[in-house]
Amino acid sequence: MYTENLYPPITFIDTLRYEGGAFVDLPRHLERIRATALAHGGHIGVDLVEQALYSSAPESLELFRVTLYYNREEILEVRSIPYHKRQIQRLRLCKLPEDFSYRYKYADRSFFLSVREGLSSEEEVLFVRSDGSLTDTTYTNILLELPKGDLIAPSQPLLKGTQLSRLLEQGKVQEQAGLTCEDLRRSRRIYLINAMMPLEEAITLTPNQIIY
């Protein structure tokens, strides 16, 4: 059977928090990289990934965002930049195209960049599916804090990030299907989290900062 083009060449990324000379939550990132390569017909040894990350890591104890570029067979590049959290003051709801999928962390983020064109640096997009269910922003998962203090997350985000996965495993957050704009309105706070922003450092907004 001719299979040379069964899996077209695709580049993926993984973004890691590097602080105090170590990568935060590294095993979870390594597993996502391994699983992504496998799902696309390839294989990457996690030992080689870890070696590549640490050999390219900054010689600093400060906080860095480290981005690994790879395909289904090999590591392509590792980039590091000092991390500065964005200052988000408003979330603008945006309908998600029916056929859009971001199940894996693709390096091609042109769709997200095009959606953010024309927005101020203090605005971010929150994607809503055609059925009205909430998903993610262009670069974070979201958590809603209910009036009683419980934290919930959409059960079908565009991409379940490592930070969200950890909070779910720890029982600090519960998934809920079919979260909508009404849930946004009744929440006390909205948290934006990703690998660089754990819950204690999340961007925090209130319902009156949402543009419907």
Side-chain angles (χ1 to χ4, degrees):
M1 180 179 177
Y2 183 72
T3 60
E4 182 177 346
N5 295 319
L6 183 60
Y7 297 97
I10 303 173
T11 301
F12 307 97
I13 59 173
D14 210 88
T15 304
L16 301 93
R17 180 180 174 119
Y18 184 78
E19 185 177 22
F23 289 97
V24 176
D25 215 5
L26 182 56
R28 203 178 301 275
H29 286 278
L30 293 176
E31 172 55 25
R32 179 165 67 180
I33 293 165
R34 184 203 65 79
T36 297
L38 184 64
H40 291 81
H43 172 75
I44 293 183
V46 294
D47 291 343
L48 293 178
V49 175
E50 185 171 358
Q51 181 181 2
L53 287 169
Y54 273 106
S55 64
S56 304
E59 296 182 1
S60 171
L61 298 180
E62 300 300 317
L63 177 59
F64 279 80
R65 184 179 71 188
V66 177
T67 305
L68 174 79
Y69 292 79
Y70 66 102
N71 59 29
R72 63 190 178 99
E73 296 289 351
E74 61 183 343
I75 300 159
L76 303 176
E77 185 180 5
V78 179
R79 300 179 186 174
S80 303
I81 60 171
Y83 179 68
H84 302 286
K85 184 166 65 175
R86 284 179 59 193
Q87 302 301 312
I88 305 299
Q89 299 297 326
R90 292 176 297 279
L91 278 182
R92 185 180 295 272
L93 299 188
C94 178
K95 186 176 179 180
L96 194 68
E98 290 278 359
D99 59 348
F100 183 78
S101 173
Y102 198 70
R103 181 180 177 185
Y104 301 98
K105 200 170 175 68
Y106 302 108
D108 181 3
R109 293 180 55 81
S110 56
F111 169 74
F112 297 119
L113 294 174
S114 66
V115 169
R116 290 200 67 254
E117 283 185 3
L119 298 184
S120 73
S121 61
E122 295 183 343
E123 285 186 339
E124 177 54 39
V125 170
L126 174 55
F127 292 107
V128 181
R129 289 194 170 90
S130 58
D131 64 359
S133 60
L134 306 175
T135 61
D136 296 334
T137 74
T138 66
Y139 76 116
T140 74
N141 292 129
I142 67 165
L143 304 177
L144 305 185
E145 181 181 340
L146 300 180
K148 292 185 179 181
D150 297 333
L151 291 174
I152 58 174
S155 61
Q156 291 185 311
L158 295 179
L159 178 74
K160 186 176 289 184
T162 56
Q163 177 65 201
L164 176 57
S165 296
R166 185 171 68 84
L167 292 171
L168 289 169
E169 288 180 12
Q170 293 174 341
K172 295 180 178 179
V173 172
Q174 301 298 319
E175 290 182 309
Q176 185 169 318
L179 292 177
T180 67
C181 294
E182 289 307 311
D183 296 292
L184 278 178
R185 292 188 177 97
R186 71 185 181 94
S187 64
R188 291 203 308 191
R189 298 180 187 87
I190 300 101
Y191 297 92
L192 309 187
I193 61 168
N194 60 22
M196 297 302 302
M197 296 187 299
L199 181 56
E200 59 271 18
E201 298 178 23
I203 294 173
T204 307
L205 302 167
T206 59
N208 61 8
Q209 293 174 280
I210 309 297
I211 302 174
Y212 296 93

